[in-house]
Amino acid sequence: MRKKSTILRNILIAICIVFALNWIGNSTYLRFDLTEDNRYTLSDETKSYLNNLQDTIRFSVYLHGDLPLTFTKMKRDVSDFLEEIKRIGGSRIHIKYIDPLNIGTDNKSNKAAFNRLIQNYGLRPYTIQEQDESGKFEQRFIIPGIIVSTSSSFVPVNLFSDVIGSSTEEQVYEALGKLEYLCLKSIKQLTQNRTKKIAYITNHNELSSVYVYDALKSLQDFYDIDKISTWQLLDSLTTYDMVMIAQPTSKFSEEDKFILDQYVMNNGNLFCLFDKVQVNADTLQYVSEALAIPRDINISDFLFHLGVRINSTILLDNQCAKVPLNISPPEMQPNYQGVPWYYYPLLRGNKNHRITQDISLVKSQFASTIDTTVTGNGSLQKTVLLSSSAYAREIQAPAQVGFSILQRIGGNYFNSYYVPVAILNEGSMKSFFDKRSCPIPANKLPENFSIKTQSDSNKMVFIADGDIIKNEVEIKGFDTIPKPLHFYKYVAVDNKLYTGNKEFILNVANYICGDSEFIPLRTQEMKIRLLNEKRILKERKNWQLFNIAVPLLLLTIIGTIIMIIRKRKYSQHVS
C-alpha cells in the first residue's frame, strides 16, 4: 500500500512540474541566438521603433508555395524573422503568406494576378531553371518579395533587388543579411509623418542626372530629392534637411555663397564633393601623359570659414584600382594586363565612426587631400571619414600624370600615410557674412527675410573627390544608360565590385538627416558557409555509409553494455 501511495505521489509531482513548466514557458519568453553573426537577433533600433509603433503594419509574403530547397530554407528564415517582429510589435503586426502562383481560381486568373504583382505592386520575379526526370530543363518563377502595407499605402520589398552574388545560395545569404534593413526602411517609409527632403544644387555645372543616377535613386528610397539652384534655395532655407553639391565646375558668386551661408545659419546640413584638380583622364587612352591643373571655383574662402581646406594636390596610393595596359612590343598582337593605377586610390573608412566603420573600400579617381588643421569660424568637432592607406603620396598640381608613374615607383616613393580625403564637421557656426554687407539687394530677398549670424547645430561632410558619387555610363546608339555605382569599367582586369561607394553615400545622408539607425543594418552581413560541391560528389557515399553505420554501431554497443550490466545485477541478486 505504501508503495502505491509513493508511486501516486511521484505521478502527481511530475504532473505539477509539467504544468509549472508550461506556465513558465507561456508567461516567459526565452530565446537564445548562438550564431556568430547574431542573425536571429533584432537590433536595438528596430526594437525601439517597433515598441513605439502606432500604425497597423501588414506583411504579405510571396515567398511561398512549391519552392526549391534553397528557397524553402530562405522562407523559413524570413518567417522566423517576421515572427520575431510580431512578438515585439504585438497586435500591430499582421503576417500573411501567399502563393503567388495560386492566387486566382484557375490558370488564367493565376497568371493575371501574378502579372499584377509585378506591374502594379513592383515585385520582381526570380527565374529558376529546373531539370525534370527526362533531363529536360524547364523554367518557372518565384517571387522572393514582401509587400509591407498599412490601410492607406504599401511598399514593395524585393529581397533580391540590391543583391550582388555569383550563385543562388550566395544571393540568398546576401538577401537575408539585408532583411532587417529592408523591412525597417519600409515600415519607416509608411509611418513617418514627414518625408525628409534633400536639395541637389544644379547651377554650377554639377554632375548631371545620368552620372548620379544610382546614388540619387538609392537616396530616393528615404528622401524626397529636389534639383534646384542656389537662388531657389533662398526661398526655402528651412525646407531641406540636407543640401548636396556634387563636383561643381563653374564659379560660385558671392550671392551663391551668401545663400549657402544663410542655409547653414538656419541649421542646415551640407554634403559637398569637390574636385580641386582637373584631369582629362579620357586623353590617357590616346597619349601617355595628361596635364593636371588646379580648378578654381571661387569657394575656397567659404570652405575655409567652414573649417575645410581642400589642397590642390593629387593623391597617389599603393592601395588602388587597376587599369588595362598593353604590355606587348610595338607591331605585336596587343596583350592587355591589369596594372595598379595609383591615381585611383581605394580609400579606407574610419572604423571608429558609425558612418564608415563597416563599409568596404571606397574607389576614388584623381582625389585631392584635405587639410584638417583649419579651425573655421565656429565651434566644430572634426572627424576624418575617409583616408588613404599607409603607403600614399601627394603631388602638387599642376603636374603631368600618366603611365610613366609605373617606372618611378621606388622603395621610398610612398612617403605619406592615412592622408584625409573626406571629413565630417559637426557643431555651430558663425556667419561668413557677419559684419559684412549683404551681396544681394534688399528687393531680391524674400519678404520678411532676416539675416542670421549664428547657427545652433550643423553637420557637414566634405569630400575632396567628386567621382566618389559618379557612376559609369554606357552609350548605346542615341541612349546613355547609367550603370550601378559599384560597377567599374575595367572590371575585366580589376575583378572587383566597389560597393563601398554607395554604402558611404547612403550612410552620410542617413547620418546627416538623423536616420543613423539604418547604417548598421545596411552593412550587416551573414557569413556564407557553403558546402564544398567537389567534396560532396567525391565523398558522398562515404558520408552516407558513416551516417547509417555509426548510429547502428553505437546502438549495438550501448545495448550490449546495458545487457551485461543487467545480467550481472540480477545474477548477483539471485545468488
Side-chain angles (χ1 to χ4, degrees):
M1 192 69 180
R2 182 179 297 175
K3 186 175 181 180
K4 288 184 178 181
S5 62
T6 301
I7 294 173
L8 182 61
R9 184 187 64 188
N10 291 338
I11 291 173
L12 291 174
I13 292 173
I15 292 173
C16 291
I17 291 173
V18 170
F19 274 105
L21 290 174
N22 283 330
W23 180 81
I24 293 171
N26 290 328
S27 60
T28 306
Y29 179 83
L30 290 175
R31 190 169 185 265
F32 300 99
D33 186 354
L34 302 180
T35 58
E36 181 182 355
D37 46 13
N38 294 322
R39 68 182 63 175
Y40 302 113
T41 302
L42 297 181
S43 66
D44 293 336
E45 290 86 354
T46 302
K47 291 178 182 178
S48 174
Y49 199 83
L50 291 172
N51 285 328
N52 296 316
L53 198 61
Q54 301 298 322
D55 301 86
T56 298
I57 304 295
R58 297 174 180 85
F59 291 87
S60 299
V61 184
Y62 291 90
L63 185 65
H64 197 61
D66 182 20
L67 300 171
L69 179 60
T70 300
F71 287 96
T72 300
K73 294 177 180 178
M74 183 181 184
K75 172 194 168 185
R76 182 189 60 209
D77 284 348
V78 170
S79 176
D80 290 343
F81 169 79
L82 292 179
E83 289 298 328
E84 182 68 4
I85 281 185
K86 182 175 177 60
R87 182 188 70 81
I88 297 173
S91 60
R92 297 181 297 277
I93 302 296
H94 297 270
I95 305 169
K96 186 177 181 180
Y97 296 93
I98 303 169
D99 184 353
L101 298 176
N102 291 287
I103 300 177
T105 56
D106 53 34
N107 288 336
K108 185 177 180 180
S109 60
N110 282 337
K111 187 175 180 179
F114 186 88
N115 290 332
R116 279 197 302 273
L117 290 174
I118 299 169
Q119 297 170 8
N120 299 344
Y121 290 92
L123 293 180
R124 299 175 188 172
Y126 184 82
T127 306
I128 301 174
Q129 294 275 3
E130 289 188 322
Q131 191 174 14
D132 58 19
E133 294 179 355
S134 64
K136 183 180 178 181
F137 282 94
E138 294 183 351
Q139 277 189 353
R140 68 186 181 100
F141 301 97
I142 63 171
I143 294 184
I146 305 168
I147 291 179
V148 186
S149 61
T150 61
S151 58
S152 58
S153 59
F154 71 91
V155 174
V157 175
N158 289 292
L159 300 179
F160 277 17
S161 61
D162 294 321
V163 168
I164 303 171
S166 58
S167 68
T168 300
E169 289 82 1
E170 290 172 335
Q171 292 182 66
V172 166
Y173 272 91
E174 291 281 346
L176 291 175
K178 295 183 181 300
L179 180 59
E180 183 179 354
Y181 161 69
L182 292 172
C183 287
L184 179 61
K185 183 177 72 171
S186 61
I187 293 173
K188 202 162 186 180
Q189 283 179 277
L190 292 168
T191 57
Q192 61 185 1
N193 296 324
R194 170 186 170 269
T195 302
K196 296 178 181 179
K197 303 185 73 173
I198 294 175
Y200 183 81
I201 301 300
T202 59
N203 60 315
H204 306 95
N205 291 325
E206 284 84 0
L207 288 172
S208 61
S209 297
V210 70
Y211 288 105
V212 290
Y213 176 83
D214 194 23
L216 295 189
K217 181 175 176 291
S218 300
L219 288 173
Q220 283 174 340
D221 290 341
F222 303 91
Y223 313 108
D224 288 340
I225 299 178
D226 294 336
K227 297 174 183 177
I228 64 173
S229 67
T230 48
W231 280 97
Q232 290 171 307
L233 179 63
L234 180 62
D235 295 319
S236 50
L237 293 175
T238 59
T239 301
Y240 296 102
D241 298 273
M242 185 178 80
V243 165
M244 288 185 69
I245 305 174
Q247 204 181 71
T249 56
S250 61
K251 291 188 177 184
F252 285 73
S253 66
E254 293 302 305
E255 291 86 351
D256 292 328
K257 288 186 276 189
F258 174 79
I259 295 169
L260 291 174
D261 174 78
Q262 287 304 292
Y263 171 74
V264 172
M265 291 305 101
N266 281 274
N267 301 320
N269 306 303
L270 295 176
F271 183 14
C272 303
L273 303 97
F274 293 108
D275 277 353
K276 195 62 183 293
V277 176
Q278 179 180 351
V279 182
N280 189 352
D282 293 335
T283 61
L284 292 172
Q285 298 179 23
Y286 313 104
V287 297
S288 60
E289 288 192 334
L291 182 63
I293 58 175
R295 171 180 280 156
D296 180 18
I297 55 174
N298 192 37
I299 200 170
S300 297
D301 54 348
F302 182 60
L303 295 181
F304 190 87
H305 172 82
L306 297 178
V308 176
R309 177 163 53 205
I310 300 178
N311 302 315
S312 297
T313 58
I314 294 178
L315 177 67
L316 286 78
D317 199 320
N318 192 47
Q319 180 176 265
C320 60
K322 292 182 178 180
V323 295
L325 177 65
N326 183 14
I327 60 174
S328 294
E331 300 180 359
M332 295 289 290
Q333 185 73 20
N335 179 17
Y336 287 95
Q337 298 291 330
V339 296
W341 191 232
Y342 303 109
Y343 301 107
Y344 285 7
L346 302 181
L347 306 175
R348 57 191 292 278
N350 181 350
K351 296 187 180 299
N352 296 319
H353 196 276
R354 194 166 201 180
I355 292 177
T356 49
Q357 61 185 359
D358 291 318
I359 68 170
S360 306
L361 293 173
V362 175
K363 183 175 73 69
S364 61
Q365 301 181 27
F366 296 104
S368 297
T369 60
I370 291 179
D371 185 350
T372 59
T373 61
V374 179
T375 58
N377 194 3
S379 177
L380 294 174
Q381 176 183 346
K382 295 174 176 288
T383 306
V384 174
L385 297 179
L386 296 177
S387 60
S388 71
S389 74
Y391 300 94
R393 184 184 181 92
E394 298 176 69
I395 58 175
Q396 191 72 35
Q400 292 287 342
V401 299
F403 288 101
S404 61
I405 187 71
L406 300 175
Q407 282 82 44
R408 295 202 300 267
I409 301 300
N412 297 320
Y413 186 81
F414 296 108
N415 54 8
S416 300
Y417 55 92
Y418 307 133
V419 183
V421 177
I423 190 171
L424 165 68
N425 286 354
E426 298 176 279
S428 60
M429 292 297 306
K430 293 182 180 179
S431 174
F432 181 61
F433 288 87
D434 187 21
K435 299 179 182 178
R436 293 176 59 184
S437 60
C438 174
I440 300 178
N443 61 348
K444 290 187 178 182
L445 292 172
E447 189 177 355
N448 299 322
F449 182 85
S450 61
I451 298 176
K452 292 192 174 182
T453 58
Q454 178 75 46
S455 70
D456 297 323
S457 177
N458 305 105
K459 295 177 182 177
M460 299 174 289
V461 171
F462 301 95
I463 305 174
D465 180 26
D467 292 306
I468 284 176
I469 198 175
K470 183 179 179 181
N471 54 251
E472 306 273 5
V473 298
E474 182 181 2
I475 308 297
K476 285 190 174 181
F478 296 102
D479 296 327
T480 303
I481 303 170
K483 306 290 283 185
L485 188 53
H486 63 257
F487 176 79
Y488 179 41
K489 63 182 177 181
Y490 298 128
V491 64
V493 296
D494 193 65
N495 296 317
K496 291 179 183 177
L497 295 175
Y498 294 102
T499 59
N501 289 54
K502 186 189 288 188
E503 292 172 358
F504 177 67
I505 298 299
L506 292 177
N507 287 0
V508 168
N510 287 157
Y511 184 82
I512 287 178
C513 294
D515 298 312
S516 58
E517 66 270 15
F518 289 118
I519 295 175
L521 300 182
R522 182 166 43 248
T523 53
Q524 183 178 359
E525 293 183 357
M526 294 178 66
K527 292 187 177 180
I528 302 177
R529 299 178 176 86
L530 301 178
L531 297 177
N532 188 318
E533 294 185 4
K534 292 183 179 180
R535 287 193 63 188
I536 291 174
L537 294 174
K538 183 179 179 181
E539 305 175 13
R540 181 175 180 177
K541 291 184 178 179
N542 294 337
W543 285 107
Q544 286 177 337
L545 180 63
F546 178 84
N547 288 332
I548 294 172
V550 170
L552 293 176
L553 181 62
L554 288 175
L555 286 174
T556 302
I557 294 172
I558 292 171
T560 303
I561 293 173
I562 292 175
M563 187 174 64
I564 292 173
I565 293 173
R566 287 174 59 85
K567 185 175 181 181
R568 287 182 178 180
K569 178 180 178 182
Y570 288 108
S571 62
Q572 291 174 1
H573 180 73
V574 171
S575 60

